[in-house]
Amino acid sequence: MSTVRSQPHWRDIVAEYAVEEGSARRLIAQLSACEVAALAFCRLLERWGRGEAEPSTVGRRQAAFRRAAERAETALAGLERPLSRY
């Protein structure tokens, strides 16, 4: 007989230990934005590493890289206020 152990997702842990529900919702939303931006940035680099350079021109690749980096930076900046308490 095998047992499957389910690991809680980070969102569930944050919500469970939060003092205020509204704060938890805002923090989860901001952390989710960071996660999405970071994954998009990494996937862009992975595609380029495999030789799938889309967009195909150097200028457009630089612009795509810059946009992905700016989205990640913006998402991280949104965490400064809630995490400054710690």
Side-chain angles (χ1 to χ4, degrees):
M1 176 184 210
S2 67
T3 59
V4 177
R5 208 169 136 210
S6 175
Q7 296 289 328
H9 196 273
W10 64 263
R11 289 176 184 94
D12 301 327
I13 295 169
V14 170
E16 182 179 340
Y17 287 96
V19 175
E20 296 178 15
E21 186 178 332
S23 295
R25 275 196 315 272
R26 288 188 299 276
L27 181 60
I28 289 168
Q30 195 60 47
L31 287 170
S32 295
C34 288
E35 182 179 42
V36 168
L39 286 172
F41 184 80
C42 290
R43 288 180 181 139
L44 181 66
L45 294 177
E46 285 177 347
R47 284 195 313 270
W48 290 353
R50 289 191 308 260
E52 300 171 15
E54 179 62 37
S56 58
T57 66
V58 173
R60 288 185 178 175
R61 282 195 303 268
Q62 287 175 341
F65 184 74
R66 194 175 306 114
R67 280 192 306 274
E70 287 171 356
R71 282 192 298 268
E73 183 180 14
T74 300
L76 285 171
L79 289 174
E80 286 181 22
R81 183 170 177 249
L83 296 181
S84 67
R85 298 179 210 156
Y86 303 101

